[in-house]
Amino acid sequence: MDYSTDDRISFFEKVYAVVSQIPFGRVTSYGAIAAFLGSRQSSRMVGWAMNQSNRSGLNVPAHRVVNRNGQLTGKNHFGHPDLMQKLLEQEGHRIENDTIVNFEGVFWDPAQWLL
DNA sequence: GGTGTGACCAGCT
DNA sequence: AAGCTGGCCACAC
């Protein structure tokens, strides 16, 4: 496979593009990103993309992406289990029981990015 | 190169 | 009401 012959942007690339545009102090969900990219059922891949970006050392704010309940399901994939929560708290969020308080209030819909 | 699997989600039983 | 299943895409073995 030759990279230069493939003009299509992979699903992962789109995920990175969206996630990197999440504003400071806001969060979104895996499903919202997947739905925005046209594949509502690809939400699992979003999380996987985060995993890859983490290992690749890309500058992607993966801590701003949680599941639809506002729960920090991916915290174990950061260096330390408490790192994700700390990062969110630094952005002004409050975490209780691995869940973002007032999640809907700070939720950032990728569709809003288009406006 | 087939198969399994993963930081999810919604629908069905 | 709570558990199981299918689906999606990329990647490791």
Side-chain angles (χ1 to χ4, degrees):
Chain A
M1 308 306 177
D2 194 348
Y3 297 102
S4 57
T5 58
D6 192 345
D7 294 329
R8 297 188 312 170
I9 305 176
S10 69
F11 189 83
F12 274 34
E13 293 291 334
K14 293 179 183 175
V15 172
Y16 297 144
V18 173
V19 174
S20 57
Q21 293 302 320
I22 301 175
F24 183 93
R26 306 294 290 278
V27 295
T28 190
S29 70
Y30 304 98
I33 295 171
F36 173 70
L37 296 178
S39 302
R40 176 172 52 74
Q41 303 167 234
S42 301
S43 47
R44 291 178 17 171
M45 283 52 282
V46 177
W48 209 333
M50 296 303 98
N51 193 2
Q52 292 299 316
S53 72
N54 214 318
R55 291 183 24 163
S56 301
L58 297 175
N59 293 353
V60 178
H63 59 280
R64 293 180 187 155
V65 185
V66 296
N67 73 355
R68 72 178 193 88
N69 299 317
Q71 195 173 9
L72 280 53
T73 51
K75 67 171 189 172
N76 292 322
H77 286 268
F78 288 78
H80 190 70
D82 294 332
L83 180 57
M84 186 176 185
Q85 176 170 344
K86 270 203 162 190
L87 290 170
L88 288 170
E89 287 175 343
Q90 285 178 4
E91 300 197 359
H93 301 298
R94 203 157 63 88
I95 315 298
E96 280 185 8
N97 204 9
D98 289 341
T99 304
I100 298 176
V101 177
N102 190 28
F103 171 61
E104 294 188 359
V106 295
F107 179 78
W108 177 79
D109 190 345
Q112 199 176 14
W113 179 32
L114 294 175
L115 305 179

